[in-house]
Every structure is written in structure tokens, then in C-alpha cells.
Amino acid sequence: DAKTTQPNSMESNEEEPVHLPCNHSTISGTDYIHWYRQLPSQGPEYVIHGLTSNVNNRMASLAIAEDRKSSTLILHRATLRDAAVYYCILRDVGGYQKVTFGTGTKLQVIP
Amino acid sequence: DVKVTQSSRYLVKRTGEKVFLECVQDMDHENMFWYRQDPGLGLRLIYFSYDVKMKEKGDIPEGYSVSREKKERFSLILESASTNQTSMYLCAANPPGPYGYTFGSGTRLTVV
């Protein structure tokens, strides 16, 4: 399985934009990039996914590098409710759905 | 939205007991998964199933088994619970294709 690398932790000031990076240098052509977040005492929650083009939804934006070896989740205005662990994973929809999540990035939002 | 329900939020069991963790999804999704989450180790895949009566081992299947007799239900079984199986257990479901997982709220299992 292709792996992802994320920083262990990041800090952001409230109401500032946040850019959460993810490296996936061994990504294959059929891998989709997915992002999830996990609030304390809850299961992970789907945030966004993409293949090649940048994507936007009501929660966040996903910027994908041209070579697809890295991506960035963008929270446009961080709020205290965005404090969570963010996971970047790759999903190959050409075959089995086996995916392992790493340890993610713990985002702290400072008031 | 798909809802994934795990039968217990908290569970305390004794060493050697047989433990059943139940997960039910309310949509017709083929794929279901069991993960465990431990501090510093992230989410690790135990087993997954892509259809009724089908199952595949994940990264850490030892000490666990699963059952999927109906499409909506995926059960994780600890044949003989041990203290090193104390963990948060998370169930997830998704349809085939590039769609996201929906996770349950988790079951925090303590084995004493």
C-alpha cells in the first residue's frame, strides 16, 4: 500500500487559514487522496477527496501538487471546533479497499 | 447520509471472555471495516469485508475473527480477550468507488 507522511502536530491562530501538508511520493495513478478528521472521543469524519484537480467543499479545500506526490488540506478560517487530528490517506479504487490510517496531524487552534 | 452504529460505547470484559462487537450500517454498502486505535499508533486495520460472507485480513488480525452474515452487519469477535486488546474499536462502511468512509462512534473496550 502506498504510504503518506504528515507532521505530527501543527498550531494555528483562530480565524487564520491553515495549510495541512501530506506527502505521498509513492502514489499510483489510481490512488485517490482522502482527508479525514477526528474530534476527541469520536470516530473519524470524512472531509474531502480528490484525484488530480483541486477540490472545494463546504468544509475545506484540497490542493494537489501537479506530480501528485503531495497535497495540502486548506481550512480557510480555523475555528476552535477545527481542533482535531487530521488524516491523509490514499485509496486505490482499482482493487481492494484495504487502507491503513497513520497517526495524522494533531491541529491545535489558539484563541 | 450513511449511518454506522456500534452497539456499545463502552465495554468492560474479563480476560479469557469471548467478546462480540457489533456494527450495523443503514445503507446498502458492500464494504465494511474494523479498526483499532491506540495512542501513538493511529488506526490499524483488523479485518474488512467487501460482501456478505467475504472477509479479508487487515494488518493486525491475530486474536480476532469477524462475521458478516447480512450485508448491514459486521461483527468483530475476540475469541479469548486479553489485556493487550484493550483499545478503541472503530467500524466503518463505504460503497465501492472513490467515496469516503463513514465511521461509527467507536467502542472503548477495556479487558481486565
Side-chain angles (χ1 to χ4, degrees):
Chain A
D1 299 330
K3 301 299 182 195
T4 62
T5 305
Q6 300 176 254
N8 288 332
S9 62
M10 290 184 65
E11 282 184 359
S12 173
N13 294 320
E14 196 176 9
E15 299 188 4
E16 295 289 321
V18 182
H19 291 234
L20 297 164
C22 182
N23 289 317
H24 28 78
S25 58
T26 59
I27 191 170
S28 73
T30 55
D31 282 336
Y32 282 76
I33 301 158
H34 280 238
W35 282 83
Y36 292 78
R37 72 177 187 180
Q38 187 174 23
L39 301 171
S41 301
Q42 295 186 25
E45 173 190 26
Y46 166 80
V47 176
I48 200 166
H49 76 275
L51 184 62
T52 56
S53 304
N54 294 344
V55 184
N56 299 296
N57 66 21
R58 63 175 181 80
M59 293 180 71
S61 296
L62 175 60
I64 302 172
E66 198 168 333
D67 63 6
R68 300 211 322 127
K69 293 185 176 182
S70 66
S71 61
T72 302
L73 181 71
I74 302 165
L75 308 178
H76 296 286
R77 281 181 76 239
T79 70
L80 297 178
R81 287 175 294 180
D82 292 323
V85 178
Y86 287 80
Y87 298 96
C88 165
I89 65 166
L90 303 179
R91 286 197 49 210
D92 177 4
V93 294
Y96 288 116
Q97 303 285 322
K98 176 181 175 179
V99 170
T100 296
F101 289 64
T103 53
T105 297
K106 185 172 184 178
L107 175 66
Q108 184 180 359
V109 179
I110 302 166
Chain B
D1 286 347
V2 178
K3 188 172 180 182
V4 176
T5 303
Q6 294 184 230
S7 54
S8 303
R9 193 88 166 102
Y10 299 94
L11 213 51
V12 180
K13 295 292 182 181
R14 296 194 181 276
T15 301
E17 273 193 81
K18 189 169 186 176
V19 181
F20 292 86
L21 302 183
E22 305 289 345
C23 175
V24 177
Q25 51 133 337
D26 66 358
M27 290 290 287
D28 203 29
H29 287 345
E30 282 81 359
N31 301 326
M32 296 188 76
F33 309 81
W34 275 105
Y35 288 86
R36 66 175 281 177
Q37 185 172 29
D38 301 288
L41 297 177
L43 280 77
R44 293 180 292 167
L45 182 63
I46 305 171
Y47 268 96
F48 67 102
S49 169
Y50 49 89
D51 206 346
V52 175
K53 297 190 185 295
M54 305 296 284
K55 61 184 179 184
E56 292 285 338
K57 292 180 180 179
D59 297 318
I60 52 165
E62 296 78 19
Y64 303 94
S65 63
V66 289
S67 173
R68 193 156 180 211
E69 296 297 317
K70 293 184 178 181
K71 202 169 194 176
E72 67 270 19
R73 187 180 297 271
F74 192 35
S75 303
L76 180 69
I77 304 157
L78 287 66
E79 296 291 340
S80 178
S82 64
T83 54
N84 63 12
Q85 292 179 309
T86 291
S87 186
M88 169 69 86
Y89 290 88
L90 291 156
C91 177
N94 82 307
Y99 307 104
Y101 294 93
T102 300
F103 280 87
S105 299
T107 296
R108 186 165 292 282
L109 173 68
T110 302
V111 182
V112 297

